[in-house]
Amino acid sequence: MAGSGTAHLRDPESTLLRAEHLVVEFPVGNTGLKVHAVSDVSLDILPGETLGLVGESGSGKSTTGRALMQMPSPGSGSVTLDGQEITGLKSNDLRELRPQMQMIFQDPISSLNPRRRVGEIVGEPLRIWKRGSAAEQDALVDATLEAVGIDPSAAKGRRPHEFSGGQCQRICVARALMLDPKILICDEPVSALDVSVQAQILNLLQDMKERYGLTMLFIAHDLAVVKNVSDRVAVMYLGKLCEVGSPDDIYARPAHPYTRALIDSIPSADSETNTHEGVRLTGEIPSPVAPPSGCRFRTRCPSAQELCSQVEPVMREVSPNQFVACHFPLHDENSGTAVGSPA
Amino acid sequence: MTATEADTNLSVGQRATLLEVVDLSTTFRTERGMVHAVDGVTFTLDRGRTLGIVGESGSGKTVLSRSIMGLLSGKNVIRTGSVKYEGTEIIGYSAKQMSNVWGAEMSMVFQDPMTSLNPVMKIGKQITESLRRHLGVDKDEADKTAIALLKSVGIPAPEQRLGEYPHQLSGGMRQRVTISIALACGPKILFADEPTTALDVTVQAQILDLLDEQQRERHMAMILVTHDLGVVRTRADEIIVMYGGKVVEQAPTSTLFASMKMPYTEALLRSIPRLDMPSHTRLDAIPGRPPNLISPPAGCNFAARCRYVQPRCLEERPPLVAAADPGHFYRCFFPVGTPEGDAALQANISAGTAVAAPATRSSTTSEES
């Protein structure tokens, strides 16, 4: 798995954000080596859709999110927002575009300036972009804080340390919504939070999505969380996409051996036995400095064959709206032959 | 601990109780007041069994495990109650006496494998340190044991790893090293404090399997501290659910999941997104956040966030009471799945207060949605 291709992309006319053949590489000191963080990833998001991007640490999911935001711009590939190509924009033009793309980070407390008050933090985007009069700005800050479940009269004069992690994440959501963005990129927004608070924030994001008509890219390592919030899920491994499809399809009938293994590794509070069965991955994710040839997952894949080390699999449709980059997918309606096990 | 003392007191018989904790409380003296981090915890742990301790951050689960091991020192830590290890009281042991217990009798695997290893000491040295201290073996012998240990925890090329530093290993490998250090002297109890929280899900499964396997081989007791009910469900024999420093429910694992009584346990389970739920399922979030442990509420600690809350819960502290099943205890006046509980929930639903619990907390901002 872990291959290239664009078969899973939809009509460019209909998409809000479209990235094709993204590549991000970082040099390793002056050794001449490179970290292949994102290698030929293509994805698209329809207006109002939530795309969940899931993978282990080191799979390149955060780097992909940042490449879409052009911080930093990808090494190669194209990103279009609403039909406009945004890679290669000059810094001033890019700055003009920034209000349309906002981001929420993993650690809510460290992403708020500890020395400033909540009212200033949330209102700052409006002041920078000179949106409305002071009174209008103030009213919008109040309304947005209210919408995310923070009492504005009590909160505006306080500083971030006076709030819990969950409340700080609500404040971050409010700040991201101030400029009415077209797309919100959430990078592990709940993984630093307690399970009870996590559910509050997931529900909040769902509410905000309905209320403000948001389009979201939701990056997380927790499959159950991603399934809960997403309309479409993309699974990443070592800088490549493995599988793309609707959450219900992917989780019920994963086609990629890696997706299967990820699902099988989750200990479940609902069943007593499932962690001791199924596919268990051995070893760890290989170094992105020297990724395996062919399919990048082959070193850990239970169904790997000779072919996998020579030819990189390309994204193709195995059942309606389920795409997989694998030579030997677990199921494949589009080829009548040997499925799961190579002939 | 001294083996002779332990032997004379080992009259417990077949059940082989290894650890007996009675009414253990741990209080921190801080500038803002006394923090009651652990409040009257009682349990016993038998040889070879696994106890899961579950709770949110701030519930006191980590302090409890450190308090049992005597890792909290200083004049601002007040420990009361009793901790008997193999029949011998170990509260009141000096640090010097405890150092014979640490490693050799009880040991701990911490959450973050990077910060629990010494970054400037070679891995071999870190493993053999306790071997040489407790077992008095010479360097060659200790190195051999270390290689065997690394092999048993699934580290490839162990001979080579002995000379490496922690930063040369991945997170999962480092956690395997900390496990091998914890296992080095053959402890009878292993405390694992969120051993997989910092790890990826595929690696988490490997580490939990490894702990399972080592526990079976060594017939070792384990205390698994985690916030993840999924982890304890598949690994623990018995579960303690903590909230605000107190045990709120305690039961054998199958009993707990078959007939949970405490509204908090139920709420915790309901708030977790599950893979078998269709996407976009609305989650039952627990409103608000855990109580302030400096001035805990007058009534039940969980009352402010509870769907079943009644006026009585705000005034009176519920005691830990026994349920019908053996070994099952809970702390609630209106337990889940009983006529009283159902009536309380119904009353709250019809009054429209079932979700938005009364705001009795000190916090001034609205929490919860």
Side-chain angles (χ1 to χ4, degrees), chain B residues 38-170:
Chain B
V38 172
D39 197 351
V41 172
T42 299
F43 68 86
T44 59
L45 179 64
D46 294 350
R47 224 175 271 278
R49 308 281 285 175
T50 301
L51 172 71
I53 301 181
V54 189
E56 293 177 73
S57 21
S59 62
K61 56 191 194 301
T62 295
V63 175
L64 172 62
S65 58
R66 293 186 185 196
S67 185
I68 293 169
M69 264 189 91
L71 293 177
L72 305 163
S73 55
K75 60 181 188 316
N76 291 324
V77 179
I78 304 153
R79 256 198 321 168
T80 62
S82 151
V83 176
K84 284 200 176 122
Y85 174 73
E86 291 191 322
T88 308
E89 180 62 54
I90 59 169
I91 282 202
Y93 264 31
S94 66
K96 199 165 171 212
Q97 284 172 302
M98 280 311 291
S99 69
N100 292 321
V101 175
W102 293 329
E105 305 289 334
M106 304 177 178
S107 61
M108 193 177 247
V109 176
F110 297 91
Q111 173 172 355
D112 182 349
M114 189 69 223
T115 55
S116 56
L117 290 172
N118 185 338
V120 296
M121 196 192 268
K122 286 180 182 164
I123 283 157
K125 181 99 189 281
Q126 302 196 42
I127 300 174
T128 54
E129 202 178 18
S130 64
L131 283 172
R132 301 196 62 189
R133 185 186 186 293
H134 290 291
L135 308 182
V137 296
D138 65 27
K139 190 171 178 309
D140 286 351
E141 183 70 31
D143 280 351
K144 268 188 211 140
T145 314
I147 290 170
L149 277 165
L150 287 177
K151 200 174 271 166
S152 74
V153 297
I155 291 190
E159 296 83 0
Q160 195 186 321
R161 304 290 172 193
L162 288 186
E164 292 184 350
Y165 290 95
H167 75 266
Q168 293 173 279
L169 303 181
S170 68

Side-chain angles (χ1 to χ4, degrees), chain A residues 78-113:
Chain A
S78 92
V79 179
T80 54
L81 178 69
D82 243 358
Q84 186 192 359
E85 175 64 50
I86 63 172
T87 49
L89 279 185
K90 294 222 170 54
S91 60
N92 242 344
D93 298 332
L94 193 56
R95 185 174 174 274
E96 292 294 325
L97 197 86
R98 290 261 188 239
Q100 299 181 25
M101 309 173 87
Q102 293 291 321
M103 199 155 180
I104 299 173
F105 300 92
Q106 175 167 1
D107 182 352
I109 297 172
S110 67
S111 52
L112 298 173
N113 186 336

Side-chain angles (χ1 to χ4, degrees), chain A residues 197-208:
Chain A
V197 180
Q198 166 180 303
Q200 295 174 14
I201 298 295
L202 292 176
N203 284 344
L204 172 72
L205 286 171
Q206 200 71 33
D207 292 343
M208 294 301 105

